[in-house]
């Protein structure tokens, strides 16, 4: 009995001296040590931003109590939308869903030219990037016909530490109800 308790005390003592003492909350690292190598990935897909119908992908969640800027616009300055929009591999409604864009967009321009600022996470649900996502945080000058470019500022999973850009074309737009199908060409650097 006594031998056992001596062993127990000894074991406790050994444990206590092998517990590392961590007084710092940070340490230095390097990309080399993490064995990270930068890659470039191109993505091509279509975002379906459907406001009409019984199950819209985008819903208005706030607006100012006065109209500022162009009153002709379907989404005047200050209107805020929550989105959960499907991403498809083609422009057709029957094209395969490969992910979704979840987040917010805000009508951000007081001029006649509609501008949206997007705060969205583009998550992929199939293929090589299943479970990974890209963070888009950018102005989206909707009325500019060419070279609409959004900034990709980060990512998760396989897109960890991502940075890049998305070129956006309007494939389809219904001015009356705001329904749109947008073609995305994304270039991202990640590890
Ligand atoms: C809008 O809201 C602000 C703050 O509550 C208020 O002062 C203002 O009178 C409102 N304007 C109108 C047109 O209701
Ligand atoms: C979508 O696909 C269906 C079935 O393949 C086809 O009948 C339809 O014309 C397509 N629509 C567009 C807009 O391409
Ligand atoms: C709105 O867009 C048109 C066409 O691109 C441009 O000529 C005009 O200067 C823009 N207006 C503002 C206020 O940016």
């Amino acid at each position: 009995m006594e031998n056992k308790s001596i062993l127990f005390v000894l074991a406790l003592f050994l444990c206590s001296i092998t517990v590392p003492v961590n007084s710092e909350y940070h340490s230095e690292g390097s990309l080399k040590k993490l064995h990270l190598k930068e890659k470039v990935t191109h993505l091509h897909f279509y975002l379906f931003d459907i406001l009409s119908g019984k199950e819209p992908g985008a819903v208005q969640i706030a607006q100012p109590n006065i109209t500022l800027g162009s009153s002709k616009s379907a989404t005047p300055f200050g209107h805020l939308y929550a989105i959960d929009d499907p991403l498809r591999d083609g422009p057709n409604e029957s094209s395969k869903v490969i992910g979704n864009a979840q987040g917010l967009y805000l009508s951000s321009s007081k001029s006649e030219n509609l501008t949206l600022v997007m705060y969205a996470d583009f998550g992929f649900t199939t293929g090589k990037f299943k479970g990974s996502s890209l963070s888009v945080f950018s102005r989206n000058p909707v009325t500019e016909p060419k070279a609409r470019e959004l900034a990709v500022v980060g990512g998760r999973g396989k897109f960890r530490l991502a940075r890049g850009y998305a070129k956006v074309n309007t494939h389809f737009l219904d001015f009356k109800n705001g329904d749109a199908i947008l073609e995305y060409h994304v270039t991202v650097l990640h590890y």
Side-chain angles (χ1 to χ4, degrees), residues 116-128:
L116 303 173
V117 174
M118 280 188 87
Y119 315 85
D121 182 289
F122 284 55
F124 300 92
T125 51
T126 179
K128 184 178 178 186

Side-chain angles (χ1 to χ4, degrees), residues 91-94 171:
N92 196 318
E93 264 172 36
S94 61
H171 178 78

